[in-house]
Amino acid sequence: GSSRISFLTISILVAFVFGCASPTKVTDLVPQSFFPGVNVHKMEGSVNVRTMVPTGTTDPTYVSMDVTEWIDSNKLKEAIELSITQQGVFSEVNQGQADYILEVWVDKIQNMLEITGEGFIFDFTSVWRLTNTKDNKIIVCDFVKGHGASRGLARRAYPPSISAATIDMIQKGLFSVSDQSQSHLTAISS
């Protein structure tokens, strides 16, 4: 009787405190719009998107963790392609031959915990490279960072933090790719 109730109570308490993190869907990673006041320059032609995301945090300051249920190469690729289509950055997304190749490498995924600050934080550092396939000229090769934070119980706070960091990175990356007002070649030496 009472030991069964105690076990049930403890189980519920453990589930509440540690929570269950649900996997993210691609739509959780797609920006709803660009930054206010930012005009996206449409690139004429098709683009082939290629991505690479590490399976876990790199140089963690909080704790080392596997991030594949929330972000991986396929989810990032699909989220970028959907963002390109929704925002009209290129004429079309193409899986085969295309006018441009957009390569996105997430180099670092760092996580932090600020108990009195933003809560659970994820910061991404990535390289976005856009190449014209006609002449193999690199048009953009830029470092792009993404930042996301969420308050709440640990495992429940991870997905919204990672989603926010991914959305931030995609917004900044697509702006860098489409911005014709200045050169975006800061990562060319890497």
Side-chain angles (χ1 to χ4, degrees):
S2 69
S3 65
R4 192 175 193 184
I5 293 170
S6 295
F7 176 76
L8 185 62
T9 306
I10 289 171
S11 297
I12 290 169
L13 185 63
V14 166
F16 178 75
V17 169
F18 293 103
C20 294
S22 57
T24 57
K25 298 183 294 291
V26 170
T27 53
D28 298 332
L29 309 174
V30 176
Q32 296 309 304
S33 64
F34 266 97
F35 302 111
V38 170
N39 289 328
V40 176
H41 175 77
K42 184 173 180 168
M43 304 283 291
E44 292 303 321
S46 58
V47 65
N48 180 332
V49 178
R50 300 174 184 171
T51 57
M52 196 288 298
V53 177
T55 57
T57 51
T58 53
D59 303 323
T61 50
Y62 172 55
V63 65
S64 183
M65 68 176 61
D66 182 330
V67 297
T68 53
E69 64 184 296
W70 306 303
I71 183 75
D72 63 21
S73 296
N74 290 334
K75 280 185 184 175
L76 180 59
K77 176 180 170 37
E78 288 179 42
I80 291 170
E81 290 174 344
L82 196 53
S83 300
I84 287 169
T85 302
Q86 287 179 355
Q87 304 302 325
V89 181
F90 289 88
S91 302
E92 71 174 312
V93 174
N94 195 332
Q95 300 303 323
Q97 291 286 58
D99 300 307
Y100 298 94
I101 296 173
L102 175 61
E103 295 165 294
V104 178
W105 298 280
V106 176
D107 183 42
K108 289 182 185 172
I109 299 176
Q110 296 175 298
N111 58 344
M112 291 161 274
L113 172 61
E114 288 182 354
I115 294 172
T116 59
E118 291 183 286
F120 291 97
I121 298 168
F122 282 89
D123 285 332
F124 294 171
T125 304
S126 63
V127 174
W128 288 57
R129 182 172 70 187
L130 181 68
T131 306
N132 185 328
T133 58
K134 289 181 182 81
D135 58 9
N136 284 331
K137 182 179 180 200
I138 296 172
I139 300 166
V140 171
C141 192
D142 211 359
F143 290 109
V144 177
K145 295 183 182 256
H147 175 78
S150 180
R151 298 196 68 69
L153 302 172
R155 295 221 14 112
R156 289 177 186 237
Y158 298 155
S161 297
I162 288 176
S163 292
T166 305
I167 287 167
D168 188 41
M169 180 181 66
I170 290 173
Q171 285 177 319
K172 290 174 181 170
L174 289 180
F175 173 72
S176 182
V177 165
S178 68
D179 180 30
Q180 304 292 307
S181 68
Q182 58 180 319
S183 172
H184 291 276
L185 296 171
T186 59
I188 200 87
S189 61
S190 316

